[in-house]
Amino acid sequence: MGQGAVPRRAQAYDGELGAAVARAQQGDEAAFAVAYRIVQPGLLGYLRGIVGDEAEDVASDAWLEIARDLGRFKGDGAGFRGWSATIGRHRALDHLRRQKVRPKPATLEQDVLELPGPSSTHDQALESISTGHALDLVRGLPRDQAEAVLLRVVVGLDGPAAARVLGKRPGAVRTAAYRGLKRLADQLGDQGVTDDSPRTLGEST
């Protein structure tokens, strides 16, 4: 997968997601549940990268707002992922303001991560993030790079959609994502495999 690619699994569900959203807008609760199941894993991963262990609470707030404003959404499946990420980001930033804290970068030496060995490449770094094993490492990146990587890889947005979520120019987001992925590839290669008990996205820190 090249640097500009959108994860295939995100694209694969966009047709189903768009259809589910359209039905949900007509009041079909089961269709809303389908949309939730498709979008929630990526949204939760993105939010974990911003607020850490509070991600599930923030995601719950975001989904309440998504459900409330669903009738105003216009767009396809990919558009819904971007819209959901925008709402999630606003709720996450509100949460950080309330807590009066900034995201704490991970200390690499303290992380218990399952990482590829020294032969890691840029694409392997992408794959590691997309499978969720390097989220804490992503949190150690500068904020603009971390968000760009999370939106592109975890949520699966293309460059223009990620730029809309962040309120930045597509070129700036592309550059931030590239720099972030390059740093991750370097860090993954330097560290090799750590510890015997890998932590996955689904587990608490």
Side-chain angles (χ1 to χ4, degrees):
M1 180 164 44
Q3 179 255 327
V6 175
R8 283 188 297 275
R9 68 181 188 286
Q11 290 179 325
Y13 289 114
D14 278 347
E16 181 184 354
L17 177 57
V21 169
R23 292 196 310 274
Q25 288 180 312
Q26 302 304 313
D28 185 335
E29 292 183 14
F32 186 82
V34 169
Y36 172 88
R37 282 196 301 272
I38 294 172
V39 171
Q40 172 70 350
L43 181 64
L44 190 60
Y46 172 54
L47 294 174
R48 279 193 195 283
I50 303 176
V51 299
D53 291 343
E54 306 296 320
E56 291 193 17
D57 290 342
V58 173
S60 295
D61 290 343
W63 280 104
L64 287 172
E65 185 172 338
I66 290 165
R68 186 193 70 202
D69 295 342
L70 186 63
R72 296 203 311 233
F73 171 75
K74 291 179 172 50
D76 57 8
F80 185 77
R81 281 189 292 112
W83 183 67
S84 301
T86 300
I87 291 173
R89 182 174 193 264
H90 290 161
R91 297 288 68 76
L93 296 179
D94 287 347
H95 173 82
L96 292 174
R97 277 192 289 271
R98 283 197 302 273
Q99 299 295 317
K100 294 189 177 164
V101 296
R102 290 274 145 305
K104 295 183 181 69
T107 304
L108 302 184
E109 292 76 17
Q110 293 175 350
D111 286 340
V112 184
L113 298 168
E114 182 180 295
L115 301 172
S119 62
S120 297
T121 64
H122 185 273
D123 285 350
Q124 284 174 308
L126 269 169
E127 185 59 31
S128 294
I129 302 158
S130 68
T131 56
H133 294 304
L135 187 63
D136 283 343
L137 207 58
V138 175
R139 292 189 73 203
L141 294 173
R143 175 71 172 271
D144 64 326
Q145 293 178 17
E147 285 206 69
V149 169
L150 289 164
L151 287 171
R152 294 298 307 277
V153 180
V154 179
V155 181
L157 301 183
D158 63 17
R164 284 193 295 275
V165 172
L166 297 174
K168 296 184 175 180
R169 296 185 318 278
V173 174
R174 262 196 313 276
T175 299
Y178 176 79
R179 287 177 177 163
L181 288 169
K182 186 174 186 312
R183 282 181 65 160
L184 286 171
D186 292 345
Q187 290 169 353
L188 288 167
D190 287 345
Q191 287 204 342
V193 178
T194 69
D195 209 286
D196 295 321
S197 50
R199 182 170 68 230
T200 64
L201 277 181
E203 296 172 352
S204 300
T205 54

